[in-house]
Amino acid sequence: MIHIRSNEEIELIRKSALMVTATLTEVANFLKPGIKTISIDNMAEAFIRDNGGIPSFKGYNGFKYSLCISVNEVVVHGFPSDYELKDGDIISVDCGVYMNGYHGDHAYTFAVGDVNPEVLKLMRVTKESLMRGIAQAHANNRVGDISYAVEQWTAKEHGYGVVRELVGHGVGKKLHEDPQVPNYGRRGDGKRLKEGIVLAIEPMINLGTREVYTLEDGWTVVTADGKPSVHYEHTTAVRKNSGEALSNFAPIEAAERANKELNTGHLEPVAATA
Ligand code: MG
Ligand code: MG
């Protein structure tokens, strides 16, 4: 069953989604080569609880952590661990927060230090595909219009692999609700969108093959060819003329830029004097 949310409910979902934005902004401030991914999880859980939220993922189907942290060839559902981030890694951080009876669900892929330009391009194109998908999330469109927009920009225009085994979803009182939102599909297919539906739109895009498999731990999804994968996600309200992202990349991006300048010691050159 697909829920239609009132504006009051959407504002509560926005609060949860923006708490995830704040958490991912803390992650952006914290990231540098040498830190363990479990430290990021510990920091995020403390931040969420200090701000009155509950980490949605902790305990979900037995998942033990507050964040999914997926490094390089891990697509999604990676476990935080003692792995120390290295210069050139990418990490996809997926986070859910439950507050006031509603979930927000939101993910971002970060570059650690100097990342290969080919991978930076994959990140940029995947983020753009999310925005193109959100633009299609308006009343009287269908789920397939979102799916088509994401696939068109990533697979058709840029030759990337679109993961099919995992999909976006409705989000609200439960973390995962109807409908499913695949990142591939045909225009005009699927359920009709109505104002007030709230969706987690989340392209998972691979540099190489779209084929993935799950490790024996039952969670960690990796690319079949070992090449990197990228994941961006916004909690999105269906509106009259376009989708509206309820979560927000701008504070995360600003923290990313500030952190990069701090870690590279980049300063304006000073003119020499005689
Ligand atoms: Mg998520
Ligand atoms: Mg999700």
Side-chain angles (χ1 to χ4, degrees):
M1 161 180 192
I2 299 178
H3 297 278
I4 307 286
R5 304 295 178 191
S6 67
N7 280 330
E8 290 73 20
E9 287 181 295
I10 289 173
E11 290 315 307
L12 291 175
I13 296 172
R14 189 195 304 274
K15 279 191 178 167
S16 300
L18 290 177
M19 186 56 66
V20 182
T21 296
T23 307
L24 294 175
T25 303
E26 291 296 304
V27 172
N29 288 326
F30 192 74
L31 270 186
K32 59 180 176 191
I35 63 166
K36 292 179 174 159
T37 58
I38 190 68
S39 312
I40 302 171
D41 191 69
N42 291 336
M43 180 278 295
E45 180 173 5
F47 180 83
I48 292 166
R49 293 193 191 279
D50 285 350
N51 285 283
I54 295 169
S56 303
F57 299 173
K58 196 157 190 169
Y60 185 88
N61 291 339
F63 193 78
K64 293 194 182 115
Y65 307 95
S66 297
L67 304 177
C68 297
I69 300 188
S70 305
V71 180
N72 297 332
E73 76 281 5
V74 181
V75 180
V76 286
H77 303 164
F79 293 162
S81 73
D82 285 334
Y83 176 78
E84 289 181 9
L85 291 173
K86 295 195 304 284
D87 188 67
D89 282 344
I90 58 168
I91 67 165
S92 300
V93 180
D94 193 355
C95 180
V97 166
Y98 183 73
M99 287 171 74
N100 306 307
Y102 294 90
H103 293 275
D105 186 9
H106 177 31
Y108 197 90
T109 299
F110 297 91
V112 181
D114 278 327
V115 166
N116 178 335
E118 186 185 38
V119 179
L120 291 175
K121 185 181 172 194
L122 171 69
M123 294 164 70
R124 176 175 58 76
V125 169
T126 303
K127 196 189 271 187
E128 288 166 356
S129 79
L130 171 57
M131 298 313 174
R132 285 167 178 253
I134 290 170
Q136 294 299 317
H138 60 75
N140 295 319
N141 250 357
R142 290 181 183 267
V143 169
D145 294 303
I146 301 172
S147 308
Y148 175 85
V150 171
E151 185 182 27
Q152 190 64 23
W153 190 239
T154 53
K156 305 275 167 57
E157 285 286 331
H158 291 93
Y160 298 141
V162 176
V163 175
R164 296 187 169 212
E165 287 76 1
L166 298 132
V167 296
H169 51 91
V171 57
K173 289 188 178 171
K174 288 199 232 149
L175 182 59
H176 295 126
E177 299 183 346
D178 288 336
Q180 293 198 338
V181 185
N183 294 303
Y184 64 96
R186 288 190 303 199
R187 271 193 278 210
D189 267 4
K191 295 274 167 46
R192 189 175 290 283
L193 298 173
K194 294 182 184 144
E195 278 185 81
I197 293 175
V198 179
L199 303 170
I201 303 177
E202 48 178 318
M204 290 152 265
I205 308 296
N206 301 344
L207 186 61
T209 177
R210 70 172 172 83
E211 304 297 333
V212 299
Y213 64 93
T214 304
L215 300 186
E216 276 180 13
D217 62 26
W219 285 97
T220 312
V221 178
V222 300
T223 57
D225 60 7
K227 290 186 179 174
S229 182
V230 165
H231 181 209
Y232 291 92
E233 177 179 27
H234 269 315
T235 296
T236 305
V238 175
R239 301 294 199 186
K240 189 158 186 252
N241 298 312
S242 167
E244 181 196 3
L246 302 177
S247 40
N248 184 4
F249 285 156
I252 304 168
E253 289 165 343
E256 245 188 337
R257 283 192 297 272
N259 186 8
K260 191 166 172 61
E261 286 185 14
L262 195 72
N263 283 313
T264 56
H266 176 78
L267 294 169
E268 288 302 308
V270 177
T273 51

